[in-house]
Amino acid sequence: MNDGISDPQLKGKIPVKLLHDSPYLDHKLDLYLQSNPNARPRDILVYLQSIESDARALLKSIRIPQDLTSSNSMETIIGREKELQLLDIYLNRRYKNNVILIGEPGVGKTSLILYYFKSHHLPLISVSAAEMLSGTKYRGEFEKRMQHVLETAQKEGSTIFFDEIHTLIHAGASEGGISAANLLKPIITRGDIKVVGATTPEEATTLYADGAFERRFSFLKLKEPDMQTLRLIALNFVKESGENQCFPSLLFEEIVAFLDEKFPNRHYPDKLIDFIDFYLAANKQANFTLHEATVLFAESQI
């Protein structure tokens, strides 16, 4: 793979030595190169990041050039102006400029974070503690992976985003290892890197148990949007879906009543967008009515 030397955007970022230290990854890499002898470094990286193995955790911190990962389009955020303003204030504080968003699953924590960093053109590294832990059988392996992520973020001036950040409290601490939280504490205290995270109110209690870790963060609560905002979200989603359908108030009210009755444990706006997306497709592909779509959707959900 030549350490990405033929691609300036990836040069020095692909940890070739760590790949070769793993017989499994080395074997997968050899097979890929045999089938794709003319593959570019970025093609190889895309392949390795797709493997359900250590590679996903090891290489997750390496951001592939923008044109290969996503379009330039940006998801619209509606009704979160206050939260975006607070996030901007917190991230630009002199102290405690690391932020954790707290909210129920589906209220849009991750979307808000990604929108903020995209709109401000700021580099962000997304890390999953669960993937970082995957396959770390021996003491020191997790610390090595975390150290690689931290060094990459510091070198590039990137902020690290930990979804389900509560998992860091104990991640890596088994078998006498050092937890991710303890690895992070001195670094974020010095201000070498910034960290943002997301968790739920219930899981946030894990963070509160580690006072030294908690004190290094500002907390931002995200509640479910009100009905007026949800209506705007629904109208915008239909518009962005390219469907020139009329979306009267009555239709919106029927959908909300259906979701409240059948899925009280799921949260807005996620469940609203999920169902409207399903309904638009069902109406377009099979001419389903709203009632038919609600019945099928309810039956198909877990």
Side-chain angles (χ1 to χ4, degrees):
M1 189 156 45
N2 204 26
D3 201 16
I5 196 167
S6 63
D7 189 331
Q9 291 179 292
L10 296 177
K11 184 178 180 180
K13 295 182 180 180
I14 302 177
V16 176
K17 182 180 183 301
L18 294 180
L19 288 174
H20 292 323
D21 284 346
S22 167
Y24 172 75
L25 294 179
D26 214 13
H27 175 65
K28 295 292 287 187
L29 183 58
D30 286 342
L31 292 178
Y32 178 81
L33 292 176
Q34 289 173 17
S35 302
N36 303 273
N38 297 317
R40 299 172 302 172
R42 61 179 64 186
D43 297 326
I44 299 170
L45 180 55
V46 170
Y47 164 72
L48 289 171
Q49 287 183 327
S50 71
I51 299 176
E52 290 291 342
S53 72
D54 289 1
R56 291 192 65 190
L58 182 61
L59 299 169
K60 192 172 180 65
S61 65
I62 303 173
R63 291 177 289 108
I64 306 170
Q66 181 69 21
D67 62 332
L68 291 179
T69 55
S70 64
S71 66
N72 291 322
S73 62
M74 187 183 301
E75 182 180 345
T76 303
I77 297 290
I78 296 175
R80 293 297 191 190
E81 292 79 12
K82 181 180 178 181
E83 288 86 351
L84 284 168
Q85 185 181 53
L86 282 169
L87 181 60
D88 187 50
I89 291 171
Y90 286 147
L91 287 171
N92 285 283
R93 291 179 61 176
R94 183 176 179 182
Y95 302 107
K96 291 184 72 172
N97 53 12
N98 306 285
V99 187
I100 296 177
L101 274 64
I102 299 179
E104 298 292 353
V107 299
K109 300 184 295 295
T110 300
S111 296
L112 188 76
I113 290 171
L114 296 181
Y115 178 86
Y116 176 86
F117 279 86
K118 275 190 176 183
S119 63
H120 287 77
H121 307 289
L122 298 171
L124 183 70
I125 295 176
S126 179
V127 178
S128 165
E131 290 184 350
M132 290 284 289
L133 280 168
S134 175
T136 54
K137 300 177 181 178
Y138 304 104
R139 181 176 176 178
E141 287 184 301
F142 176 77
E143 289 94 321
K144 185 186 295 184
R145 290 181 181 179
M146 274 297 301
Q147 195 60 45
H148 173 67
V149 171
L150 298 176
E151 289 173 357
T152 301
Q154 189 171 354
K155 181 180 179 180
E156 297 185 353
S158 299
T159 299
I160 302 179
F161 169 49
F162 289 100
D163 198 6
E164 299 185 345
I165 194 169
H166 59 278
T167 58
L168 298 185
I169 298 299
H170 301 297
S174 60
E175 300 181 5
I178 303 172
S179 72
N182 286 327
L183 286 171
L184 281 173
K185 286 174 189 175
I187 294 174
I188 60 179
T189 299
R190 293 194 304 266
D192 294 345
I193 59 172
K194 289 183 182 179
V195 172
V196 293
T199 188
T200 66
E202 181 180 358
E203 291 162 335
T205 56
T206 304
L207 296 173
Y208 304 146
D210 187 334
F213 187 69
E214 179 215 349
R215 285 193 298 272
R216 287 162 170 82
F217 289 88
S218 294
F219 291 85
L220 177 56
K221 293 182 179 179
L222 258 66
K223 298 179 180 179
E224 289 183 296
D226 57 32
M227 283 299 114
Q228 182 178 355
T229 301
L230 286 176
R231 191 186 302 274
L232 293 175
I233 291 173
L235 290 170
N236 185 73
F237 185 82
V238 173
K239 179 181 178 181
E240 290 189 344
S241 297
E243 301 294 336
N244 296 319
Q245 297 188 21
C246 177
F247 201 77
S249 297
L250 183 61
L251 190 64
F252 172 77
E253 291 167 3
E254 287 184 31
I255 291 173
V256 169
F258 159 69
L259 293 172
D260 285 344
E261 178 186 356
K262 296 295 185 180
F263 304 100
N265 295 324
R266 292 180 59 182
H267 301 279
Y268 293 111
D270 181 72
K271 65 179 178 182
L272 176 65
I273 294 173
D274 188 23
F275 175 75
I276 292 178
D277 189 28
F278 175 84
Y279 168 63
L280 292 176
N283 182 262
K284 182 179 181 179
Q285 299 301 123
N287 200 31
F288 274 34
T289 65
L290 177 60
H291 175 70
E292 291 171 333
T294 58
V295 172
L296 183 59
F297 186 80
E299 291 176 347
S300 65
Q301 298 301 294
I302 298 176

